[in-house]
């Protein structure tokens, strides 16, 4: 997902380079998705980046649950939950990770516009 993010930013920067003002070397990331050709790349790139981050966080959750199950005497996740009555230690981090993934995807789908509107406010 990091490689996808870097590729998206590099491609958006390359497409936005002719629009840079003199003296600006590195524009804001959101600014690179304003022009139309780069807007599609920005939307698809950051939308997929958010999706891949969510998949990674869910994989981490499965690994944490498997580790918790392996360290208990229970034979299933349900039995482990019955025995401990505590959420896995990474569960709060999983929730925040999914929230971050949703934020990345939302930023990509709702791009910054030159006019003030709902999409700009959500961005």
């Amino acid at each position: 997902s990091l490689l996808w993010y870097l590729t998206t930013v590099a491609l958006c920067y390359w497409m936005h380079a002719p629009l840079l003002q003199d003296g600006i070397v590195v524009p804001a990331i959101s600014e690179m998705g304003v022009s139309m050709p780069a807007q599609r790349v920005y939307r698809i790139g950051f939308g997929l980046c958010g999706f891949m981050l969510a998949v990674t966080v869910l994989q981490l959750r499965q690994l944490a649950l498997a580790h918790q199950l392996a360290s208990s005497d229970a034979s299933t996740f349900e039995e482990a939950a019955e025995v401990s009555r505590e959420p896995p230690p990474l569960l709060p981090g999983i929730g925040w990770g999914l929230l971050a993934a949703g934020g990345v995807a939302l930023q990509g789908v709702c791009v910054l516009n030159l006019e003030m509107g709902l999409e700009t406010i959500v961005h």
Side-chain angles (χ1 to χ4, degrees):
S1 106
L2 177 63
L3 181 61
W4 188 260
Y5 167 77
L6 293 175
T7 303
T8 299
V9 171
L11 190 55
C12 286
Y13 180 79
W14 178 73
M15 295 175 103
H16 186 71
L19 303 175
L20 288 176
Q21 293 180 359
D22 292 335
I24 303 287
V25 178
V26 181
I29 290 176
S30 297
E31 182 184 337
M32 292 191 288
V34 172
S35 64
M36 192 51 206
Q39 196 175 62
R40 282 196 186 96
V41 172
Y42 188 91
R43 281 188 167 157
I44 293 169
F46 279 99
L48 286 175
C49 195
F51 174 74
M52 287 189 286
L53 180 58
V55 168
T56 303
V57 169
L58 291 174
Q59 287 176 339
L60 177 64
R61 179 181 179 271
Q62 286 303 109
L63 288 172
L65 289 174
H67 180 71
Q68 181 186 16
L69 180 61
S71 66
S72 71
D73 295 333
S75 61
T76 65
F77 290 131
E78 290 79 19
E79 287 179 18
E82 289 289 326
V83 171
S84 68
R85 291 282 182 206
E86 295 178 14
L90 294 176
L91 197 55
I94 299 298
W96 286 112
L98 290 173
L99 188 65
V104 170
L106 187 64
Q107 177 191 3
V109 173
C110 298
V111 295
L112 188 64
N113 289 319
L114 297 176
E115 304 89 31
M116 184 56 110
L118 182 61
E119 191 175 32
T120 301
I121 292 170
V122 170
H123 178 79

